[in-house]
Amino acid sequence: MRDPFPLPPLPGLSKATGPLADSLSFPTLPLHIHEVIGSALFYTFIHMVVSPILSTRLFPKHYPTSRSKKINWDAHVVSLIQSCLINALSLWVIFVDKERGAMDWQQRIWGYTGAGGMIQAMACGYFVWDLCITLCYLDVFGLGLLAHAVSALAVYSFGFRPFLNYYSCIFILYELSTPFLNIHWFFDKLNMTGSKAQLYNGIALLFTFFACRLVWGSYQSVLVYIDMWQAVHHSPDAGYVAAALSQNSTLTDPDQNMMAFVKESVPVPIWLALVYVASNIVLNTLNWFWFFKMITAVKKRFEPPKGAPVAVTTDGKPIQNGDAVPAAIGDSTATDEKAGLRGLRRRGDFLVDAFPDVIPDSEELRAGTIQ
């Protein structure tokens, strides 16, 4: 499938990018450099212009005035917009790009389609913005987010070799849970913590996190490991290489031949496979860790704090969630009952209260509690 981006590459920009692409062995970078730069500028515009204007008008009482909190708010706006946009485009490419869907294992490793390259380029553009904004406000975001921005940009840049162009749409779908994560964060800032809206959003967050990051992500990781194992031990078929080196313009056109950039019959370098697999394992491990931390936080909402007396009714029966507390003035049991109820929450609140413990924010990242 051809690159569906509405604007074609700028000849001058592509030509100027050529030497850098050659030195990095990124032959597809000149085809998508305008998308990388355009995406980075788009998210910068949202962060610097759109978010402050809209947030001030829509939430004048809640939009922060302090520098660090304002930067953090605007960054969440960018993250919300980016995750919705990249998810929609990735799903569209997966369902529409028939050439991508018909790829064999060699094409999944070394192949290229313009649509997959667009997704990869737009993701890189976001990570370029992320890196720049983290460097500019390092005191706000900290070294942890700087390391994340550098590693994410580096890993996704390998796709310009091209390398695992097929999987660019697949693993970006980890972001399906990100809109709900950002919405939950905004509910807290808008004083809507514990509301039904936050509860329903929290349920959607748990479901998408489990389904996309754990089930889908782990399954696709196994598939990419299998493809990677073959790519490390086998070279591309001679027919693919011969077609890419031929004088036939159709066979050397990346829009006609998905293997047009395969110029050598050599396996995937060990270092490249190790970098990718190690990054994938770390990310999947963190996803499982965060999910189980969510579950632990949810379970705590059912348990009263240790040492707190159990609230009972006047006839000695334990008070259930939502029952009224007896107000016996001057009766010591009433005080005990109220103290016991401090550890009990309404059933509708247990899920939404769990997430502040596990949502990474700039303060937590600086402290190193959540990476």
Side-chain angles (χ1 to χ4, degrees):
M1 181 178 177
R2 293 177 180 271
D3 186 347
F5 195 76
L7 299 177
L10 299 175
L13 181 60
S14 296
K15 185 177 180 180
T17 309
L20 175 63
D22 292 339
S23 63
L24 296 175
S25 298
F26 290 169
T28 66
L29 179 59
L31 301 177
H32 298 282
I33 185 62
H34 63 301
E35 295 164 352
V36 176
I37 296 176
S39 296
L41 293 177
F42 173 68
Y43 294 127
T44 301
F45 180 72
I46 292 175
H47 185 266
M48 297 296 184
V49 179
V50 176
S51 178
I53 293 177
L54 287 183
S55 299
T56 301
R57 292 183 178 180
L58 297 177
F59 311 107
K61 296 182 180 179
H62 301 92
Y63 186 58
T65 56
S66 68
R67 174 178 172 272
S68 60
K69 292 183 178 180
K70 180 180 177 182
I71 292 169
N72 204 19
W73 176 294
D74 294 334
H76 276 81
V77 172
V78 175
S79 176
L80 177 61
I81 294 175
Q82 185 268 345
S83 56
C84 292
L85 177 62
I86 201 70
N87 285 328
L89 289 174
S90 296
L91 288 170
W92 178 75
V93 170
I94 288 174
F95 287 112
V96 172
D97 192 348
K98 299 185 183 302
E99 292 174 316
R100 177 191 169 278
M103 284 181 170
D104 59 29
W105 76 266
Q106 296 186 62
Q107 293 167 337
R108 290 196 295 269
I109 295 291
W110 293 286
Y112 164 85
T113 68
M118 180 195 69
I119 297 298
Q120 168 205 324
M122 295 184 71
C124 282
Y126 172 76
F127 293 133
V128 167
W129 166 84
D130 190 27
L131 176 60
C132 292
I133 209 71
T134 304
L135 287 172
C136 291
Y137 304 107
L138 189 59
D139 60 316
V140 176
F141 296 108
L143 294 177
L145 277 181
L146 177 61
H148 178 272
V150 171
S151 59
L153 179 59
V155 170
Y156 254 84
S157 295
F158 287 139
F160 293 120
R161 292 180 70 94
F163 176 66
L164 299 177
N165 180 265
Y166 170 87
Y167 286 99
S168 62
C169 297
I170 288 178
F171 286 111
I172 205 67
L173 291 182
Y174 276 8
E175 296 293 322
L176 282 171
S177 62
T178 304
F180 302 106
L181 186 64
N182 283 295
I183 291 171
H184 176 86
W185 187 89
F186 281 114
F187 276 144
D188 279 342
K189 303 308 175 184
L190 297 176
N191 296 327
M192 295 179 64
T193 302
S195 64
K196 288 185 177 180
Q198 193 181 47
L199 171 63
Y200 300 146
N201 179 78
I203 294 172
L205 171 57
L206 264 183
F207 175 78
T208 54
F209 192 98
F210 178 79
C212 300
R213 291 180 179 258
L214 303 188
V215 178
W216 170 262
S218 298
Y219 171 69
Q220 293 296 332
S221 294
V222 172
L223 296 183
V224 78
Y225 297 159
I226 294 173
D227 285 345
M228 196 84 69
W229 178 263
Q230 297 188 77
V232 168
H233 292 85
H234 300 87
S235 301
D237 288 346
Y240 286 137
V241 179
L245 295 174
S246 71
Q247 301 300 316
N248 189 325
S249 60
T250 299
L251 295 177
T252 58
D253 182 357
D255 288 330
Q256 303 295 328
N257 177 16
M258 292 183 290
M259 299 290 278
F261 293 102
V262 181
K263 307 296 185 181
E264 296 180 294
S265 183
V266 294
V268 167
I270 295 292
W271 69 265
L272 182 57
L274 289 177
V275 167
Y276 187 89
V277 171
S279 301
N280 185 271
I281 290 175
V282 169
L283 181 58
N284 284 330
T285 301
L286 286 174
N287 285 333
W288 282 97
F289 169 76
W290 285 334
F291 184 75
F292 281 112
K293 191 170 183 180
M294 287 181 184
I295 299 301
T296 300
V298 168
K299 291 174 64 177
K300 288 181 180 178
R301 269 51 190 182
F302 288 105
E303 302 171 355
K306 293 182 179 180
V310 177
V312 295
T313 61
T314 54
D315 57 358
K317 296 181 180 179
I319 292 180
Q320 303 296 323
N321 289 342
D323 290 346
V325 181
I329 301 175
D331 189 350
S332 62
T333 58
T335 302
D336 292 341
E337 290 163 358
K338 292 179 181 179
L341 283 179
R342 293 192 187 103
L344 300 177
R345 303 287 185 91
R346 290 183 296 108
R347 291 188 182 272
D349 288 347
F350 80 89
L351 188 58
V352 296
D353 288 346
F355 289 101
D357 296 342
V358 298
I359 293 181
D361 209 343
S362 58
E363 291 81 3
E364 294 175 312
L365 288 163
R366 284 203 303 272
T369 54
I370 297 179
Q371 297 296 327

